[in-house]
Amino acid sequence: MRIDLHTHSNRSDGTDSPSELVRNAREAGLDVVALTDHDATEGWQEAQEAADEVGVRLVRGIEISAEYEGVSVHLLGYEFDPTFQPLLDELDRILGGRTQRLPRLLAKLAEHGMPLTEEEVLAVAGDAAAWGRPHVADAMIAKGYIKDRAEAFRDWLVPGKPAYVGRYSADLFGAVELVRRAGGRAVIAHPWARESRGKLTAEVLERLAEAGLAGIEVAHPDHDADDRTALEAIADDLGLVKTGSSDYHGTGKGPQFHLGANTTDPAELERLLA
Ligand code: AMP
Ligand code: ZN
Ligand code: FE
Ligand code: FE
């Protein structure tokens, strides 16, 4: 039984449609796949139809843009009520922040000789309910300014680089509570990747567990073997579920993010959803 609990479709910044994603999951030998688009559940229905057709079990999820002490943190939510109004209100604020950021981000790119229009970005974002920096990167590629998304994230669009602009994110503890109140399970995504590394200490993870966090994404392409060993010990100590996943984005991210790159133990999934 192979289970991948973190993937993105083109409803956010992945490149597969939800049904292509599910078919690709089947072809990659997965029995269970979670669709966890950024800040949006728009892909659930199409993914469910494809899952029923090809015989894959779909776990319905989301990856919420959150922050803790000024640092970006991603929170996975699973099997919650997508009509729970307080959560919808928070997602609306996050999606609004994505839209509000765009003019300022494009002004900075223009200052650096890379003019783009909002229409050009939204055109490459296509069906996305949550557009993001990867779409800006795609528009930059289309103009011939850069070679690939990795270059955009290396030289332009991250904190400390010339075209970085922050945006609204949910408070991390508040987001855990919203997922819980919506009847779902909250799992902290790649806690020791990038910026959140160093912030999400064992002590903070313990407070999150007390606040209702259900699990930790231990196996993720951004975690090395030492990270995984340490996070596993923390999860065991706190009684949290340990998950493993790919964070697949189709062709939008490197080959180490392929479907099934990391998997979740079936007993851990049952414990998570029990
Ligand atoms: P945003 O949604 O605008 O905050 O952009 C963050 C997204 O960019 C996350 O989904 C990341 O997976 C993605 N991302 C971060 N670094 C890279 C990279 N080097 N190449 C492609 N995508 C990336
Ligand atoms: Zn993404
Ligand atoms: Fe993430
Ligand atoms: Fe992700």
Side-chain angles (χ1 to χ4, degrees):
M1 171 89 91
R2 298 185 72 233
I3 303 165
D4 185 339
L5 290 185
H6 181 169
T7 73
H8 297 268
S9 77
N10 64 4
R11 295 304 184 269
S12 63
D13 57 2
T15 57
D16 292 353
S17 68
S19 55
E20 286 166 348
L21 168 69
V22 167
R23 284 171 215 287
N24 286 334
R26 170 86 277 179
E27 266 173 36
L30 291 171
D31 304 287
V32 182
V33 66
L35 175 64
T36 55
D37 275 316
H38 297 283
D39 309 316
T41 60
E42 271 77 357
W44 284 10
Q45 195 185 333
E46 184 185 317
Q48 187 65 62
E49 284 162 15
D52 292 343
E53 233 175 88
V54 304
V56 166
R57 176 174 167 198
L58 178 75
V59 175
R60 304 181 312 162
I62 195 167
E63 185 175 22
I64 300 173
S65 303
E67 65 184 0
Y68 174 68
E69 293 187 343
V71 162
S72 163
V73 177
H74 289 173
L75 184 72
L76 296 161
Y78 296 107
E79 295 296 345
F80 55 88
D81 172 5
T83 68
F84 182 64
Q85 197 59 46
L87 179 57
L88 284 177
D89 291 344
E90 185 65 290
L91 295 176
D92 275 347
R93 281 189 287 275
I94 297 171
L95 294 174
R98 289 177 173 279
T99 307
Q100 283 161 22
R101 168 178 61 173
L102 192 51
R104 284 183 295 148
L105 199 166
L106 296 183
K108 290 192 173 201
L109 284 176
E111 276 170 35
H112 288 84
M114 293 181 283
L116 281 175
T117 64
E118 284 192 37
E119 290 68 36
E120 285 167 332
V121 175
L122 297 177
V124 298
D127 289 332
W131 72 271
R133 285 171 285 170
H135 300 113
V136 175
D138 290 346
M140 292 166 76
I141 295 165
K143 286 277 191 184
Y145 298 149
I146 57 167
K147 167 174 109 285
D148 55 21
R149 284 186 179 186
E151 188 177 340
F153 278 91
R154 192 186 66 220
D155 298 339
W156 299 103
L157 304 179
V158 289
K161 295 298 174 180
Y164 176 71
V165 180
R167 63 175 165 87
Y168 176 82
S169 308
D171 169 71
L172 177 58
F173 281 80
V176 169
E177 193 183 327
L178 280 174
V179 170
R180 216 177 37 80
R181 283 171 60 212
R185 310 288 187 269
V187 172
I188 195 99
H190 47 71
W192 289 358
R194 294 191 293 271
E195 299 153 71
S196 61
R197 179 184 200 92
K199 262 292 174 196
L200 296 177
T201 59
E203 189 266 325
V204 175
L205 291 168
E206 180 173 4
R207 282 174 37 225
L208 284 165
E210 285 161 9
L213 185 76
I216 298 178
E217 189 176 57
V218 169
H220 180 279
D222 289 348
H223 290 156
D224 68 20
D226 288 346
D227 293 339
R228 294 174 192 214
T229 304
L231 284 167
E232 189 171 339
I234 292 169
D236 286 344
D237 192 42
L238 298 173
L240 294 175
V241 169
K242 295 164 284 192
T243 70
S245 50
S246 63
D247 207 354
Y248 173 75
H249 281 68
T251 57
K253 262 185 151 178
Q256 70 273 35
F257 297 84
H258 65 88
L259 281 165
N262 297 289
T263 54
T264 298
D265 185 295
E268 290 296 276
L269 177 61
E270 294 322 312
R271 196 152 78 88
L272 179 66
L273 298 182

